[in-house]
Amino acid sequence: AGGAPAVAAPGGVWSPGRRLLSAGLVLAITLVAFEALAIATVMPVVGRHLGDLALYGWVFSAFSLASLIGIVVAGSLADTVPLWRPMLGGLVLFAAGLVIGGTAPSMPVLVAGRVVQGLGAGVVPAVAYVAISRAYPGAIRPRMFAVLSTAWVVPGLIGPAVAAAVADAAGWRWVFLGLLPLVAAAGVLSSLALRTLPPPAAAIARRVPIVPVAGVVAGAGLALAALDAGSAVLTAPGILAGLAVLAGSLRRLTPPGTLRARRGLPATILSRGLLTFFFYAGDAYVPYAVTTVRHQPTVVAGVVLTVGTITWTAGSWLQARTIHRVGPRRLIRAGELLALSALVAMGFVILPGVPVALAVAAWGWGGLGMGM
């Protein structure tokens, strides 16, 4: 999405003309980071309290699938309305999801709250990326992306520890509800910042591709539900049907040749999607593996997530400083190898004789790879 050339104002990310916008975008991403790390840290506690562990994975899957809808809708609206409107709407949905999650009496209600949260959370990065494309010249965009990655540092340093402490002292529900003041602050600052952006050169009337997006969500949901069916008769056909719907819908959403990894943008989108899918699939269960399988305190799981977040930021800054010298191919290849080896190492962490410290190291170099 775009519609207008990047503003060619002088200066860098924190120059007077961009300072408010940079701060607003950083705060919005910080909010998403706090939520992601805090909820991941306390989910084993939530699972023990609410039960119904068959839905544990759905707490993360529902959020991610709903965020896809939020991303596409926000990207389409970005060319027709001022950017502050979808950003504010996304944060309102995010806040509503926090309230539902924080008051959930059962796991199904928590999953429903995560759907609402995901819709709002998908809007935030989508609007941020459109804002960067309009307000930052190409030469400083890598640095702005690195700055956004840095927005995970403070949540990474204190988010898991704070979440563990809040869950122990006041209960896990306040991990959700305690984020509401931060949502309000992010809404005010980001709305003020985005009002300073010029509108698109010409409003582009885009049809929101709701049918293929719904197909992606339905296909992925069907495949995931089939995995939980508990019957071989239902599981295999359900997975095949879900993947068929998913593939057909993705063909309509992505550039031609994406599913065949055609050279250029299609292969880039496919590799980004696969990398994100596999890393976050493992990330969702890192706290569970550390606390429930290896019987470590919640704070240890927080340390693992903290290390991964910090190294992710380091990897992002590394690419910002070296991409023009070494090129993107080497960075991406090295980053994918690091992420892959981290997932393999986490598979060994669940074994009783393997030191839990391996989880800290593995998620550290995995985060470095993702940042790269």
Side-chain angles (χ1 to χ4, degrees), residues 29-242:
I29 298 298
T30 299
L31 167 65
V32 175
F34 258 115
E35 185 276 341
L37 294 167
I39 302 308
T41 301
V42 301
M43 264 311 298
V45 178
V46 177
R48 289 194 293 270
H49 185 263
L50 296 182
D52 208 351
L53 288 180
L55 294 178
Y56 185 97
W58 278 102
V59 173
F60 300 94
S61 298
F63 180 91
S64 298
L65 291 172
S67 69
L68 175 62
I69 298 176
I71 289 169
V72 172
V73 171
S76 300
L77 290 176
D79 288 324
T80 59
V81 302
L83 288 180
W84 68 269
R85 293 182 183 176
M87 177 66 87
L88 186 59
L91 290 173
V92 169
L93 284 172
F94 191 85
L98 288 174
V99 173
I100 296 172
T103 58
S106 63
M107 192 69 86
V109 176
L110 176 60
V111 171
R114 292 288 282 171
V115 170
V116 178
Q117 258 188 282
L119 289 172
V123 171
V124 173
V127 173
Y129 294 158
V130 174
I132 290 172
S133 74
R134 291 186 190 168
Y136 299 83
I140 64 173
R141 284 177 193 161
R143 186 168 294 273
M144 185 57 197
F145 282 116
V147 169
L148 288 187
S149 182
T150 305
W152 285 73
V153 170
V154 173
L157 286 171
I158 67 174
V162 169
V166 170
D168 290 338
W172 62 266
R173 297 183 184 278
W174 285 101
V175 176
F176 286 85
L177 301 176
L179 289 171
L180 291 173
L182 185 60
V183 177
V188 172
L189 184 56
S190 61
S191 296
L192 290 174
L194 290 169
R195 284 177 180 271
T196 65
L197 280 186
I204 303 173
R206 296 183 187 272
R207 292 183 59 187
V208 178
I210 195 64
V211 173
V213 172
V216 169
V217 174
L222 177 59
L224 290 170
L227 288 172
D228 294 330
S231 169
V233 176
L234 298 176
T235 297
I239 292 176
L240 291 175

Side-chain angles (χ1 to χ4, degrees), residues 211-301:
V211 173
V213 172
V216 169
V217 174
L222 177 59
L224 290 170
L227 288 172
D228 294 330
S231 169
V233 176
L234 298 176
T235 297
I239 292 176
L240 291 175
L243 292 178
V245 174
L246 178 63
S249 301
L250 284 175
R251 289 181 188 277
R252 298 177 60 183
L253 281 175
T254 55
T258 296
L259 298 185
R260 299 192 306 273
R262 180 184 297 173
R263 186 180 182 88
L265 180 62
T268 302
I269 292 175
L270 179 63
S271 63
R272 167 62 189 248
L274 290 173
L275 180 65
T276 303
F277 174 85
F278 286 111
F279 190 82
Y280 279 109
D283 188 71
Y285 283 92
V286 165
Y288 190 88
V290 172
T291 60
T292 303
V293 178
R294 295 303 304 273
H295 308 293
Q296 299 295 311
T298 305
V299 67
V300 176

